[in-house]
Amino acid sequence: MKTIIEPFRIKVVEPLRMTTREERATLLREAGYNVFLVKAEDVLIDLLTDSGTGAMSSLQWAGIMRGDESYAGAKSWFVLQEKIHEITGFEHILPTHQGRASERILFELVGGPGKIVPNNSHFDTTRANIEHTGAKAVDLVIEEGKHPTTRHPFKGNMDLAQLEGLIKEVSGSGGALIDHIPLVMMTITNNSGGGQPVSLENLRGVRKICDQYKLPLFLDACRFAENAWFIKQREPGRRNRGVREIVREIFDLADGATISAKKDGIVNIGGLLLMRDKELIRRADELLILTEGYLTYGGLAGRDLEAMAQGFEEVTHEDYLQYRIRSTEYLGEKLLAAGIQIVEPPGGHAIYIDAAHFCPHIPPHQFPGQALTCALYREAGIRASEIGSVMFGQGGTPPPMELVRLAIPRRVYTQSHIDYVIEAIIEIYQQRDKLRPLEITYEPPSLRHFTAQFREL
Ligand code: F0G
């Protein structure tokens, strides 16, 4: 059989509240044409994020009941520690409440004014946590990764020549290199670049450069399992390798990792900070206790640790990953077939629509991506996120791409939900000249996409 089916059946359901177009038109106006300000219960299909929105399995819910809530040395902690050790090989594991908490601890330790942290592409919170310490976050993704229509199997790869160029440039400024570049980071998969994977070959290349210049390599490993699946599918000679083996190979290349368990941990809350350096671990432990919680629970409840341990196990199952990546690809293929430009090829956790191509009659300063997210909500109750001039254009310069991200929560929506999304987008596309430009009526001083309000022109 060629058809790939959901490798689960449904035991608990959560009803969706149906709404009419008229109701949604009113709700959208009341929300100032910003879907972040729409109540979740008024959304039919919520594709705002794949973070913390996944469905847990029966075994994860069983773990929730088993959770040991002891302050120190809880049984649930050892279950998690053992699972993460088994999957990643890391001995020392710090639990945190989510990815950005791991980032904050890491960069409080190694960041600071004048320092530079290279990455393929920093996610917003990683960049913000680096810049908060006075350091600079630099993106060095390969050229192919910057163009929506360019196909490349590993569009998340880092440009190795640019990395080496940057290191050489910084070496000239005197002192130990590590005092200028505390670490090199690789985000797998590359969320800001369209959920695109990084190859093992590229990771090895980065490792080699790090070894040559004695720099640590850290992963932002939120979607490590999805990345490993792409390696298995696309990298020469990897087809017969197990995902778990590939995952291990990835982590073996790293000196540390920050992980948001809200993605490939398939839990609603949780994060990890992994490190090998003993002195760094000692200082991180201190900060963890200071700001997150004791070493054996981080910012989490015992039940969260149990659910995470089981989530990390399930996410590496190949039938799950095959379904996961195929369902994202399915959405992408259907949109492309209808002439709708997306970031190609489809990524792991989301499809990114090219809104500039979708509504060429709306210039960047009138927010084509926002116009599309409004239409998606009003016409079909679908919530997506704008990744374009609203998010990145504050201050006047429009970003290189006007995108709308349809992020797919894990195990939440069925194929008919996705068929509904496809039908809705195609219908909107057929009447795209009716999409209306927007004007900002309120904007906060920073991170305006969350709370800005608009008016339709
Ligand atoms: N790194 C990457 C690559 C991410 O995608 C995210 C979150 C984080 C770090 C931060 O993790 O949210 O647990 O603090 N991405 C979400 C998204 C919010 O919608 O893409 P967190």
PDB file of all heavy atoms in Angstrom, residues 220-231:
ATOM      1  N   ASP A 220      20.566  23.982  18.356  1.00  0.00           N
ATOM      2  CA  ASP A 220      19.212  24.336  18.767  1.00  0.00           C
ATOM      3  C   ASP A 220      18.398  23.188  18.182  1.00  0.00           C
ATOM      4  O   ASP A 220      18.085  23.159  16.996  1.00  0.00           O
ATOM      5  CB  ASP A 220      18.819  25.693  18.180  1.00  0.00           C
ATOM      6  CG  ASP A 220      17.364  26.043  18.488  1.00  0.00           C
ATOM      7  OD1 ASP A 220      16.590  25.129  18.851  1.00  0.00           O
ATOM      8  OD2 ASP A 220      16.993  27.214  18.353  1.00  0.00           O
ATOM      9  N   ALA A 221      18.134  22.198  19.044  1.00  0.00           N
ATOM     10  CA  ALA A 221      17.662  20.893  18.549  1.00  0.00           C
ATOM     11  C   ALA A 221      16.159  20.673  18.738  1.00  0.00           C
ATOM     12  O   ALA A 221      15.712  19.536  18.850  1.00  0.00           O
ATOM     13  CB  ALA A 221      18.461  19.775  19.217  1.00  0.00           C
ATOM     14  N   CYS A 222      15.381  21.755  18.699  1.00  0.00           N
ATOM     15  CA  CYS A 222      13.921  21.647  18.890  1.00  0.00           C
ATOM     16  C   CYS A 222      13.280  20.577  18.012  1.00  0.00           C
ATOM     17  O   CYS A 222      12.394  19.857  18.442  1.00  0.00           O
ATOM     18  CB  CYS A 222      13.239  22.957  18.515  1.00  0.00           C
ATOM     19  SG  CYS A 222      13.658  24.315  19.564  1.00  0.00           S
ATOM     20  N   ARG A 223      13.732  20.496  16.751  1.00  0.00           N
ATOM     21  CA  ARG A 223      13.082  19.576  15.804  1.00  0.00           C
ATOM     22  C   ARG A 223      14.103  18.562  15.280  1.00  0.00           C
ATOM     23  O   ARG A 223      14.196  18.306  14.084  1.00  0.00           O
ATOM     24  CB  ARG A 223      12.413  20.392  14.683  1.00  0.00           C
ATOM     25  CG  ARG A 223      11.332  21.354  15.237  1.00  0.00           C
ATOM     26  CD  ARG A 223      10.686  22.234  14.187  1.00  0.00           C
ATOM     27  NE  ARG A 223       9.681  23.135  14.744  1.00  0.00           N
ATOM     28  CZ  ARG A 223       9.933  24.343  15.257  1.00  0.00           C
ATOM     29  NH1 ARG A 223      11.167  24.821  15.254  1.00  0.00           N
ATOM     30  NH2 ARG A 223       8.963  25.068  15.768  1.00  0.00           N
ATOM     31  N   PHE A 224      14.872  18.007  16.224  1.00  0.00           N
ATOM     32  CA  PHE A 224      15.977  17.095  15.869  1.00  0.00           C
ATOM     33  C   PHE A 224      15.494  15.830  15.160  1.00  0.00           C
ATOM     34  O   PHE A 224      16.159  15.309  14.274  1.00  0.00           O
ATOM     35  CB  PHE A 224      16.766  16.704  17.130  1.00  0.00           C
ATOM     36  CG  PHE A 224      16.000  15.777  18.055  1.00  0.00           C
ATOM     37  CD1 PHE A 224      16.186  14.394  17.998  1.00  0.00           C
ATOM     38  CD2 PHE A 224      15.071  16.281  18.955  1.00  0.00           C
ATOM     39  CE1 PHE A 224      15.479  13.531  18.828  1.00  0.00           C
ATOM     40  CE2 PHE A 224      14.340  15.423  19.781  1.00  0.00           C
ATOM     41  CZ  PHE A 224      14.542  14.045  19.724  1.00  0.00           C
ATOM     42  N   ALA A 225      14.323  15.317  15.553  1.00  0.00           N
ATOM     43  CA  ALA A 225      13.848  14.046  14.978  1.00  0.00           C
ATOM     44  C   ALA A 225      13.379  14.276  13.540  1.00  0.00           C
ATOM     45  O   ALA A 225      13.654  13.455  12.651  1.00  0.00           O
ATOM     46  CB  ALA A 225      12.732  13.461  15.833  1.00  0.00           C
ATOM     47  N   GLU A 226      12.697  15.399  13.315  1.00  0.00           N
ATOM     48  CA  GLU A 226      12.269  15.718  11.943  1.00  0.00           C
ATOM     49  C   GLU A 226      13.505  15.887  11.064  1.00  0.00           C
ATOM     50  O   GLU A 226      13.553  15.410   9.928  1.00  0.00           O
ATOM     51  CB  GLU A 226      11.405  16.992  11.940  1.00  0.00           C
ATOM     52  CG  GLU A 226      10.067  16.747  12.651  1.00  0.00           C
ATOM     53  CD  GLU A 226       9.174  17.974  12.810  1.00  0.00           C
ATOM     54  OE1 GLU A 226       9.536  19.070  12.329  1.00  0.00           O
ATOM     55  OE2 GLU A 226       8.093  17.831  13.434  1.00  0.00           O
ATOM     56  N   ASN A 227      14.536  16.542  11.602  1.00  0.00           N
ATOM     57  CA  ASN A 227      15.770  16.724  10.836  1.00  0.00           C
ATOM     58  C   ASN A 227      16.408  15.366  10.507  1.00  0.00           C
ATOM     59  O   ASN A 227      16.866  15.130   9.386  1.00  0.00           O
ATOM     60  CB  ASN A 227      16.760  17.597  11.612  1.00  0.00           C
ATOM     61  CG  ASN A 227      17.813  18.198  10.706  1.00  0.00           C
ATOM     62  OD1 ASN A 227      17.688  19.318  10.249  1.00  0.00           O
ATOM     63  ND2 ASN A 227      18.853  17.429  10.399  1.00  0.00           N
ATOM     64  N   ALA A 228      16.388  14.462  11.486  1.00  0.00           N
ATOM     65  CA  ALA A 228      16.994  13.133  11.267  1.00  0.00           C
ATOM     66  C   ALA A 228      16.233  12.370  10.185  1.00  0.00           C
ATOM     67  O   ALA A 228      16.818  11.643   9.379  1.00  0.00           O
ATOM     68  CB  ALA A 228      17.003  12.345  12.579  1.00  0.00           C
ATOM     69  N   TRP A 229      14.901  12.549  10.154  1.00  0.00           N
ATOM     70  CA  TRP A 229      14.106  11.861   9.126  1.00  0.00           C
ATOM     71  C   TRP A 229      14.483  12.369   7.734  1.00  0.00           C
ATOM     72  O   TRP A 229      14.628  11.592   6.788  1.00  0.00           O
ATOM     73  CB  TRP A 229      12.603  12.052   9.395  1.00  0.00           C
ATOM     74  CG  TRP A 229      11.755  11.368   8.372  1.00  0.00           C
ATOM     75  CD1 TRP A 229      11.094  11.952   7.332  1.00  0.00           C
ATOM     76  CD2 TRP A 229      11.516   9.955   8.268  1.00  0.00           C
ATOM     77  NE1 TRP A 229      10.445  10.999   6.591  1.00  0.00           N
ATOM     78  CE2 TRP A 229      10.692   9.763   7.140  1.00  0.00           C
ATOM     79  CE3 TRP A 229      11.922   8.842   9.021  1.00  0.00           C
ATOM     80  CZ2 TRP A 229      10.255   8.493   6.745  1.00  0.00           C
ATOM     81  CZ3 TRP A 229      11.492   7.581   8.624  1.00  0.00           C
ATOM     82  CH2 TRP A 229      10.664   7.421   7.499  1.00  0.00           C
ATOM     83  N   PHE A 230      14.663  13.677   7.598  1.00  0.00           N
ATOM     84  CA  PHE A 230      15.079  14.234   6.300  1.00  0.00           C
ATOM     85  C   PHE A 230      16.446  13.672   5.898  1.00  0.00           C
ATOM     86  O   PHE A 230      16.685  13.387   4.730  1.00  0.00           O
ATOM     87  CB  PHE A 230      15.144  15.764   6.366  1.00  0.00           C
ATOM     88  CG  PHE A 230      13.806  16.448   6.238  1.00  0.00           C
ATOM     89  CD1 PHE A 230      13.294  17.221   7.271  1.00  0.00           C
ATOM     90  CD2 PHE A 230      13.059  16.332   5.075  1.00  0.00           C
ATOM     91  CE1 PHE A 230      12.068  17.876   7.147  1.00  0.00           C
ATOM     92  CE2 PHE A 230      11.826  16.980   4.941  1.00  0.00           C
ATOM     93  CZ  PHE A 230      11.334  17.753   5.980  1.00  0.00           C
ATOM     94  N   ILE A 231      17.343  13.521   6.864  1.00  0.00           N
ATOM     95  CA  ILE A 231      18.669  12.957   6.555  1.00  0.00           C
ATOM     96  C   ILE A 231      18.501  11.536   6.037  1.00  0.00           C
ATOM     97  O   ILE A 231      19.081  11.143   5.027  1.00  0.00           O
ATOM     98  CB  ILE A 231      19.580  12.988   7.807  1.00  0.00           C
ATOM     99  CG1 ILE A 231      19.999  14.434   8.118  1.00  0.00           C
ATOM    100  CG2 ILE A 231      20.813  12.091   7.621  1.00  0.00           C
ATOM    101  CD1 ILE A 231      20.777  14.618   9.410  1.00  0.00           C
TER     102      ILE A 231
END
